Each structure stands twice: as C-alpha cells, then as structure tokens.
Amino acid sequence: MTKVQGTGTFDFKRHHVAEYPDENLTTPQNPPDSIPNSMTLIEIQRDRLTKIAAANWMKGGEEEWPAFDAELVKEIYRTELLVKEGRGGGGRKPVVLQRVMILEVSQYLENYLWPNFDPGTASFEHVMSMILMVNEKFRENVAAWICFYDRKDVFRAFLERVLHLKEEKDRDLSIAEKTNYLVFMINAFQSLEDEIVSGTVLRLASLQGWHSLSYGRFQMELCLKPELIKKWKRMTKKEAKEAKKKGEGNLDIANRLEVKFLRNLVSEFLEVLDSKVFPGDDYEVDDACVLFCERFMEFLIDLLSQLPTRRYLRPLVADVAVVAKCHLSALYTHEKGKLFSQLVDLLQFYETFEISDHEGTQLADDEVLQSHYERFQSFQLLAFKKIPKLRDLALTNIGAIHRRGELTKKLSVLSPDELQDLVCSKLKLVSKDDPWSERIDFLVEVMVSFFQKQQSQREAINALPLYPNEQVMWDESLVPSINYSGEGCLALPKLNLQFLTLHDYLLRNFNLFRLESTYEIREDIQEAVPHLLAYINNEGETAFRGWSRMAVPIKEFKITEVKQPNIGEVKPAAVTAEINFSISSYKTHIRSEWNALKEHDVLFLLCIRPSFEPLSPEEAAKATVPQKLGLQYVRGCEVIEIRDEDGTLMNDFSGRVKRDEWKPPKGELRTVTVALDTAQYHMDVTDIAEKGAEDVYGSFNILMRRKPKENNFKAILESIRDLMNETCLVPDWLHNIFLGYGNPSAALWTKMPNILETVDFKDTFLDADHLMEAFPDFQVSFVNTDGTENLCPHPPFRIKLPKTLKSHAHSLASNNPDVALKKDVDTAGQEKLIVEAYVPPDPGPYPQDKPKQNSVRFTPTQIGAIISGIQPGLTMVVGPPGTGKTDTAVQILNVLYHNCPSQRTLIITHSNQALNDLFEKIMQRDVPARYLLRLGQGEQELATDMDFSRQGRVNAMLVRRLELLSEVERLARSLQLPGDVGYTCETAGYFWLLHVYSRWEQFLADCSANRGKPTYVRDRFPFKEFFRNAPEPIFTGESFDTDMRAARGCFRHLKIMFQELEECRAFELLKSTVDRSNYLMTKQAKIVAMTCTHAALKRKDFLQVGFKYDNLLMEESAQILEIETFIPMLLQRQEDGYARLKRCILIGDHHQLPPVVKNMAFQKYSHMDQSLFTRFVRLGIPYIELNAQGRARPTIAKLYNWRYRELGDLPFLKESVFFHRANSGFSYDYQLVDVPDYNGRGETAPSPWFYQNEGEAEYIVSVYIYMRLLGYPADKISILTTYNGQKLLIRDVVNRRCVPYDFIGPPSKISTVDKFQGQQNDFILLSLVRTRFVGHLRDVRRLVVAMSRARLGLYVFCRRSLFEQCYELQPTFQLLLQRPDQLSLVLTENTPLTHRNVDDPGPSYLVSCIEEMSHIVNTRMHQIYQARLVSYQSSTYQNQGAASMEESVEPVIDKMTMNGSMLENSVGEVGHVDGPEKVRDIEGLADRQVPSLNEMDSDGKVKDGRDRASAMEE
C-alpha cells in the first residue's frame, strides 16, 4: 500500500471525501481489458477533444468562435462518444467516461450544443450528445437543467424531441444508446420538481396510457375503481373532440405518445432480456445487455415508488407481467445476473406495496390480509362453479394452499389449454396475445404471484437482523466500495421527492442507514484484521502473530441462555453469551479503552481462518476481501455487563454498585456478557438444522470493538424499527407535505387554526423606529393599553396581527424574492397596524430581578421569520452565511416562551457546537435558567459557569430550594412570625397563603381607599422590613402611583420566590436521582436541547418517561439526514390518537453542504445526503430567506451572494471603519492566485481520492508565514482545502516550517472546507488542489461554504486554467479573475495595521512563483534571527563583558551560519535583508513571542520543537 505523507498506512481510508472518481485514477478493481485511464494534465491539454473545444467553444481567448458545424457534432459523437464493440470496459460502460468528462468540463453542452440546438433541424447525434452531457451532469451531481432556462420553449421542444427520438426512421439505436436514453429518462423522472421537465414526462404516466392495456386488465382495473369510469369517459370525449378539430376521421389512439411510449419501452426490454442477453448458444453473457436490463429495472422501480407515476403505470407493469417474466429469465439465475435479480425483487416489492394507489393511503396489515382472503375466495368460487378439476382447491382452507408450493401443486392438475383459459380468459391476468401465454411455467408463475400470501412489511422488517453479517458486508450491489463511479445502478432504495407512505419512508431510510453503517463496519474490519497477522499453527488452528488496538483474540465463547420465543414469533426472545479475553498484550492507555466498555456498547464477533499457504499473486488478484483476510463469519452483539478477573462488575450504571464501593478492575482477564441478535441466531440455527451448515457460534476467535462515537447505529436502527411497528402519527397539518403531496403552503401559519391573534414581542424591537422599519408597507399606529393614541411609544410592544397580514402567504413564498412581511396596497392608502405600547410591571427591587434584554436590531426579514416561528404550523428559514440564523432562532424561543408559557419546546441541532452556541445565547435572554435543560455529551463544552445537564439542573434546584427557604425564614422574621415556616416547600406554601398573600390583599384594599395620600404606600407596605436590604430606596413618598408600582414590583419578587419554591417541591418529595432527573425533563424544563443523534439514540427512554413537547425548533436542519430530522418529531406518545406537536421550525441553508454520507454510492445513487429541509425546498414549500449578512466585507460577500435571492449587507459593514481598511501587506482583500506546477507536478493521488498538491501547500504556508511575520495573530488565520490528502500535507508542511518557531506557530485551524462549515475566521487561505478535473468543487454548495468562511481576507490558490472553465462556478470565478492572478503584496507595509483603504491596492508587488514567495519569507525570517543575535550580543556584553561575550557568541554564530540548511528546508533560499529598522518593527509585532537564544538549542532551533510538532497532530 502506498505510504501517504501525513498519515499512516491504514489511515488513508478514514479521509475519503465522497465524490465521484475521475477516470484518471487507476484502481485495482478496473478490469484488465479496460482502456488506459490515467491522464496527466499535459495529456489532457494535448488531447484532441481539448484542442477541438479550444478552437470552437471553450472560453479563454478574445478571438471569435467559428460558425456552428453540425458535422463536427456528428463526428465527435461517432468517434468519441459512441461505444463500439470492445470499448468501454467490455460492454459494461455505455459511454467512454473519460471522453465525456473532457467534453462536459469544456462546456460542450452550454457553449456549443445548446446554443445551436434547433428542434426542427438538429441531427440525431446532436440530441444524443445533449443526452450524454445531461447524464454526465447528473452523475457528477451538478445542476443539469439550469443552462436550458434561457430558452424555455426550446427546452420543451428538446424534451419532446427526446421522447420521439426512437421513432426516427433513419437509424436504430445500439444497446449502449438505448441504455443512455434510459438513463436520461430516469434522470428526468427524478426531476419532478422542475416544472418544464415534469410537465413533459408526467404525460407518459397519465390515464391515457391505459389505452394500451389488454381488454381484460382494463375491465379489472375499472371494476376495482368504479370512480375512474367517469374520468375515463370524460377523457375519451375530450380526445374525440380534439381529433375532430384536427380533422382526423378515425381516432388513432394507439399511435399517441402517451399510449405507446412506456409500452414500447417494456416490449424493447423484454426483447433484449429474451434474445440478446445470451446472443449465442455458448451461454456467454452480453454485458451491455445486462446493464440495459438493470437500468430498466431501476426505471420501473422509480416509477412505481412515486405516487404520481405509480397510479396509472402499475396496471401496465402487471398487465405485461414484467416481474413474472424476469423471474423466469435465464439472467435471473445466472451468476452475472445477481444485481438484476435483486432489482427484480425490489420491483416486485413496490408492485405489491401496501397502499391504495388512487387514495394514496397506507393499507394496514388487517386490510391487506382481508383483501387477500377476498381475492382468494373469489377464485375458489370461480373454480367451484366452472373448473371441476379444481374442486379440491375450491373446498380447501385458504391457509393450507395460499403458499407457493401448495398452490403450484394444486394447479398442476390442469392441462396447458385449461391453464391458459383460466389465466387469460376467466381471470384475465394476462392477454392471450402475449407470446409468453403459451408457456406453462409462465402461467403458473402469474397465478402464484397473484394469489399467494405476501409477507407483511412489518413482519419482514422484524425478522431482519440489525447487525450486518459477512454476506451483506461484501455484497457490492448492496454495499458498493469506495470505487463506485455512478455508471451502473444498484439494488438500493432512493430517497426521492415523494414517498408512498410513512412506512415506505421509514423502510427506505432503515435500509439505507443499515447499509451505510455496514459500510463503515466493513471498513473498520478491513483496517483491524490485517494487523493481527493470522496464520495456521502446527496444530492446524488459527493463531495470531500481531496485535490490533480494536480487536483481541477470544479465549472462550459460550452461549449461556436462549429464551423461549414470544407468542406469535419464531425467533428466541433473547440470546445471551459470555466472552473471555485477555488485555495483557496492551499498553495502559489501550487497556483503559477496553476497560471502558459499558452496557449497550456494540461489539463484533469474527471467525478468522487464513489459508495454510499464502495466496499466489494470481489467486490474490481474484480473491475477495474476506478470502484475503481469512474471514469466515461476522456477527454483532451488545454488551450487557463486563467483569474483571475476580468477577467484579465494571462500569455499572444501574445502581447495583455504589460509587463509594467501586474499585479499579483487577487482573488482565475480562468476561463480557453480551446479547446476540435473536433474528440472526434463529437464521443460523435453522441453517444448521435444515442445511447442515457449520455452527457459526463455535468458531469465533476475535472480538472487535469500534470507536464509541461511530458505534451508535444499532440504537438508531431500533428507533426506526420501533416507529415502523407503531402507528406513527405525524401531525395532520404536516402529513401530506411530509410525504410530498398536496398544497405546498398548506402548513403555513396563515392556513392554520388557533393562531395567536395578538403577540407580545417583548424585547424584539429596540425602539419605535425599529418596529416601523419592520413593517414598511403598513401604517403603524401606536396606542396605549386603554386604546388612546401614544405619541411617544417605547418598547415592549404588543401587535394585533391584521387579517390582511395573515392572508399574505405569498410574502413567504419560496419563489418570491421579497421575503419581508409585506402587503399589497392600493394607491388610496396603507393598512393600519395597531401596536400597543405598554409599560411592563416593575420587575422587583433587586438587580437579579431585572430582565435580560435583546440588543440585536433585527431586519424586517428576521421579524417575518420570528412572527412565522411563534405561530402554529411549519416555518422554514433559509439562513445564508452570516445572516443571524442563531439570533433569529433564539428570539423565536424567547417570544414563544413569554406568549405560551405553558408550552414546552425541543431544540435539535446537528452538532454540539451549534447547540452550545444556541444555548449560550438563550441564557442571555429573559428565560429563567431553571427552565433550560441541555441533554447529551456536549454539555460540558458550554461556556458557562452553570451546569445545564440533568444532574446539574437537579443540583441547582436543590441548592436554590435551600436559598429560597432561608429567604422565607427571613421574611417570617421580618413579619415577626414565630415557627419554622421555612422547613419544607410545603410549609412555605402554607405560609404564603396564610400570611403573605392575605397581607397583600388587605394592603390593596386599604390602598384603594387612600389613593390621595402620597406617603400611604411607603408607610403601610407590609413587607417593608424584608426589602430593607434592597440596593436602592424603594419608596419615595412623593407619588402614590410611583410607590404603588414599586410595591407591586416587590410583591412580584415574593410571588416568583414562592412560585419557584412550589416548583422545587417535587425535588423535595422525590428521593432518587433518577426520579428527580425524569421529573425535570418531563415537567419542569420548558426548553430542552439535544443533538439529533442523541434524540435518535434515546427515543425509547423518552417514550418510557413520558416526555412531552409542543414545539420543535431545528437548527442546521439542512445538514441533518432525513431520518435524523424525522425521529425528533416523534419522541412523544400520541394523545388520544393525535400528535401534540403544534409548531415545527426548520432553520438551515440548502445552498451549503448537505449531511455527510461516507459511501458515495448511497450519497449519489440513493440521495441519502438529501436533508428533509432540502426536500421541502425542492417541493416548493414556502420559506423565508434572511437577506442581510453581517459576517464578511461586502466585496467578499459578492463571491457567494449570487447564489441567494437578495443577499445584501447589514449597514454596519458599510459604516464601520474596520471593514474599510485594507489587509496590511496585501493589495487586495481577496484574490485568486494561479499556482503552476511545482517540481514538474500539479495534483497527485498517492492513493485513490487522496488528492494532494505540493505546490499549493508550500505556497499557502509561505503566505501564512508572511502574515505572521507582519504581526497577524495566528488565531485569526485558518487554512482550508477541499481534500483530506491536502489537509494532511499542509499540516506536515506547517509542522516542518512553522511549529519550530514560536513567533510563527500553527494557524487557528487546518481543515477541509466540509469540516469547517458553520465556522468562520478573519483570514482564510484556501487550496483547491485539483489541476486535471475540477472534482467535487463543482458542487456549488461546497463553493458557497468555501467562499463564505472569511470575514476580512480570502486568498484562493488554484490552477486558473482549470477552474475558469467550469460552468457551475462562473459567477464566483469571473469576480476573482477581475484581479491579477499573481499574488499582489504591498512590501512596504510591515505592521498588521494600515490606514490604506480597501479599494486602494497600494504599491503592488506581483509574486511570480512559489520560489519567489519563499524568498520573500526567507528574507524576513533572517531579519528576526539577526535581531535576536544583536539582542543576545548586547545582553551578554552587559553581563559578562566584551571578551567573554566573544567566546560565548562565536560558537553560536558558527552554528547558525552552518545551519543554513535548516532555514532552507523551512523557508527556502536566503535572500536580501531590508534593514534593522524593519527588523525591530517585525520583532515587536510578532505577538512578542520571539524566543531568546537561551530558548534555542546549539543548532539555533527552538527547544522542544519536535514535541510541539507532534502535539500539533490531531
């Protein structure tokens, strides 16, 4: 394995960035006969296609392009794109991917094919070339249809031309062309959110298609759905009228596109399947035909798994009996047809899916079973009346004959003619005209598949093991390797825009999540097992020479208990086992990891049996991964408990071992009790009994663990499975939208009942002007509480939301660029907005009584988001970078708490960092700390002195209880009342009622009769003595009203005090920590925060304790997987069959990076990286887009704000001098720096997808050193890159060149763009790495993240000639390239501050190459050392005298002179020095961290530099 710089031999697998592979990577999986696909940049530039592109359409020069040449398009298609026999890897590739990539990157579609497309005159080759380019865009996951929108009518004509392409008589399509055509149709049907595409292709899935049904099937479908008869009659009348208008005498329905298109496709597929897959008698498979068949299965699966296409196409699939014919095909059982057979089974699953096609409602298990019995009874009745030979079948109990074997046996009594008559004439399941109707096996297959009992989906999912085994792990069609290129299809479900039912949604997510975790487990096994160095010893048993941190040999394994199955099940209720292993061979820190195993951790049992002799090179090339590893079996298990050598329980969390009795584990032997997967155990035992298979459980010899953070998959899978076993109810207002149907705006607050008519906005508005700015199209009228006009209004404000505002859902629409709250008004005047300015009650006399106030001046759009968020229904907020998403979310929570104090809110985020940021801001608002709770592991990272975990909150409540009771005692003493009134919360409650509240009522009654006496309140206030310790005098005695307000504030303080005591009473009564924690979570806390992972892991616990919440706010929701967004909606049980959830607020940004999915096959093929937020946006659900950013300079923001509708800048960015100052030492605040080849090389890939670029790494680090020498703080600089390989390379260069010098040191962060999402810094140095193909930066979302991380300075290092050609990145790179592509420095500036304006480039110096930048840095580094030498000489002279100084300095000078190689290695060649004055400036500004020579070793290096470098590694 290639050693990669910056990581270990086995480590590089951890750093794959999911993207499609380029053809330029040669992998071991490539077949030997495939074309060479490793191309250098020079080869690409010299390539024939590159030269043609440069001459005809590629941007770059000012010369005009020649006129369009249709013959050139034909010639390119025939010579470069058309796959001939023997090309494309043995027929498995319908296109030569490398040629397509070169054309697509050169903008062949955007600059040549599309601008010159004429639907009437374009050639077949022109259309097919466009099809291939669109397919390639989908393969690379970039926007495919966007370039067509400049000519929408022509786009429609192009789609029509594609649909009629096969009707053109001048040529027949080859099998590769048919496959490419099919892929285009798949992509079109996956783009139903695009109005033009959906409007064209959905015609193919309409009721008109039923004209092609056989007469029997047509009758059957109309009988099952009588309401369709009227619709059918209306449609046929309309068709007749249209034909009459066109002057067509005879209505030729059969030749209409809507009727014949899909039927012809099916016929074409069946012809290929029947006669072309095996073209000769030698049973050799045609791989191209197999790929076509697989793609066609994918096409049908896609059509049947979406309701709009399923409704009218499922009868067509059933009429032709596609599934039955596939089952009987030779390919289905052939070794090369494994993927095809899995796809056929998936198609059968969706054909028989438990749903009412026309109502779109899910069928319950009872309804499915009842339907099955009714169908079978009807068949028995028919058989009894008309088929004497089936009399026995007619009289038999259904349960005895509705399985495949029994049913086939009963039908065998019929002759071929009788069977054909039954199937085709009596039951009308297939047409007599079908050529297959002559085959007995086909007729029997049709009958059996129609009448046999199907296993319910719920039963199937409960019988499925949660842990993967070795068969699933290494099945490439289910769990593809990292080398998946996107050229073929897979037997995987897809996460589409729409889902059939909630069960379908959960099932797809369950399967994908299970397989994604399987992939990660497989990678861990492949990483751990080779380190064990397994071999066969002299006794013929497996032994191990090596060791692995994550895997340990098993000394003994035994199953201790198998419980009887539960009623109605066949699998055991539980299976437990004991495993003995030793940790003697490990060092202390690894031992502690094994000792840290705890209950519910997941382990894996492996059976390894290596071959007796090593595999030969030929055998190794053909061997599978398990064969290479000697891996026989893999089984998962869950820890129940772990004991040490003495049998003492370790890591007990159940309370059996008390904390004071806990002792460190003894010995080196460990015994772990585990729970095995009961479903897998039942399957294994059945195989042993029925097939004589080996006893798996007697063969385990390795126990493997995984990192805890990566090992939570089982709990999440269990949560999903539990949801499928429940009648999971999404709120009615969200149900249809969630599945992707109905009116997209149906869940908006404007359409919801029970909205808040009047909203108290508390501290949302800073002043009256702020409020009027938020409602620019309303005439704002301020009134007092009594309804009189208020001429000098001050916050807080209550607003009565007018009906006109509620009716304007369009103001939030996703296709409306103006998202502020607006109202269409006529010229006569504006609608009035009544705003009540009220005086809040006096909060109390103490500083802690004063409420915390908001200081953010929210924009009108943010106000719109706050109004929508506090109302019932679905609120979606798109927050571009720096637009204050978190502040908006916090204010929603704040206003919601004060307007609905009895409701509870759940906060979910993707990361602990985001949750802590949100939580820390909530703590700064007027929400009492006792109502806040933070769950999960990240609580300790909160930047606060208070503990908001469950235990921390319980302790805080108990401490608060004692404080309040002491205050009650003080109050009693002030009232001169005897007795221990502050003994418990209960006694304090009685004291409140009897003595405090009664005195207050008496006081109010007395005051009402003495309002004219100014000093009355001061003299008669009953609690004056208690409040004597107030920091300021409470009463003035000058005004009755003023003093009365202060008195009410004092009483409010007392009331809140006793209210808190009442809340503490439960913690007084409950004695156990667990009960107190559960009460806190379920009753006390009003705002509960956790990550989506914690919610999925703990769902079962939440249900058990009765957790309830009314509102759900989800931050970072565009970064959360679909299923991890869905589970938090269902963390509570339903109330009387209804969901309690009232509000769902999703905040995110679909223009930034999606959730992380490690396996690119699941990411690209199955769209597993699609978040619920993004899907809702695609469905057209209205959202509010925040439109003012406050992060970056306006000039830097322009690099990415084109991606948003109207993203502007907050006023302070334009007003602040801080943002108008230039970056010292740089001519520009942002710049693209063109990096040529370094040492003759551009990008390299030491291993697949591990891209590095040494030139960019050296250049970036030189610029970083330059910034540090100028005095830029290291924590204000981050280095980003788009690949993990480059990140590790840059880290190595920084460790070599920067870490040894503490006046330079490492930057704040060296990270990938993906990992840095959600973070920011003042200065960003960005390396784009690639020099041959653009790679995954073509995903515009990654570009937006990369460009939006910098506040003050962004410097992009890349290959200009490559990135300026990329169509998707044009808006950004056109701006970048308006400035010089050589780094422009201002060398006259030597401090981190400058008075130069950002628009003034200053005296620019253009750096020509990497070596020159190193030369500049080298010069400044030497200035530092010269200054240090002078300083050292001066101090030595003063301390020792001139003579001794000479003796001590001379060796140091010699050493530093001789050690030029050290500096050359770190900063490059030595250069000219600018003078001592600048040296002193630099030395003084480099954070005052320059080490003295006493801190350096004899070679002039900083002491402990090596240790610092190693400490930098993560």
Side-chain angles (χ1 to χ4, degrees), residues 1165-1177:
Y1165 180 82
S1166 295
H1167 315 304
M1168 191 180 174
D1169 64 341
Q1170 174 181 260
S1171 63
L1172 180 69
F1173 187 90
T1174 303
R1175 182 163 69 89
F1176 277 0
V1177 171

Side-chain angles (χ1 to χ4, degrees), residues 804-976:
T804 48
L805 178 63
K806 288 181 275 181
S807 67
H808 283 279
H810 73 274
S811 64
L812 312 181
S814 57
N815 57 359
N816 186 345
D818 189 0
V819 292
L821 286 167
K822 299 181 78 174
K823 176 191 180 300
D824 294 331
V825 294
D826 54 27
T827 55
Q830 292 180 313
E831 176 80 11
K832 272 195 174 184
L833 186 71
I834 306 299
V835 178
E836 179 190 332
Y838 70 94
V839 178
D842 188 294
Y846 299 106
Q848 63 266 29
D849 293 332
K850 302 295 184 286
K852 299 171 185 175
Q853 294 293 316
N854 159 56
S855 60
V856 178
R857 196 174 188 87
F858 294 106
T859 66
T861 312
Q862 288 174 313
I863 297 296
I866 293 168
I867 289 178
S868 180
I870 62 177
Q871 297 288 2
L874 174 66
T875 296
M876 289 183 56
V877 181
V878 173
T883 52
K885 297 187 289 289
T886 305
D887 287 323
T888 305
V890 166
Q891 195 61 20
I892 289 173
L893 293 168
N894 185 25
V895 177
L896 196 54
Y897 164 75
H898 287 287
N899 282 271
C900 306
S902 63
Q903 293 185 7
R904 310 181 75 236
T905 301
L906 174 64
I907 303 173
I908 298 288
T909 66
H910 172 252
S911 64
N912 277 309
Q913 178 63 45
L915 191 58
N916 289 341
D917 289 346
L918 189 67
F919 211 75
E920 286 165 16
K921 289 192 175 183
I922 295 171
M923 290 157 52
Q924 296 168 11
R925 301 298 167 88
D926 187 24
V927 179
R930 66 183 185 275
Y931 292 144
L932 303 177
L933 177 63
R934 166 75 164 86
L935 301 179
Q937 297 299 313
E939 188 277 332
Q940 56 267 31
E941 298 167 14
L942 269 174
T944 172
D945 296 333
M946 302 173 73
D947 186 350
F948 284 92
S949 66
R950 273 194 281 188
Q951 187 59 48
R953 286 292 85 207
V954 169
N955 292 339
M957 291 297 287
L958 294 174
V959 169
R960 182 63 177 157
R961 167 183 170 272
L962 295 177
E963 292 173 357
L964 292 171
L965 288 176
S966 67
E967 284 291 284
V968 170
E969 291 283 1
R970 188 168 73 85
L971 177 62
R973 288 196 300 272
S974 72
L975 296 176
Q976 299 179 351

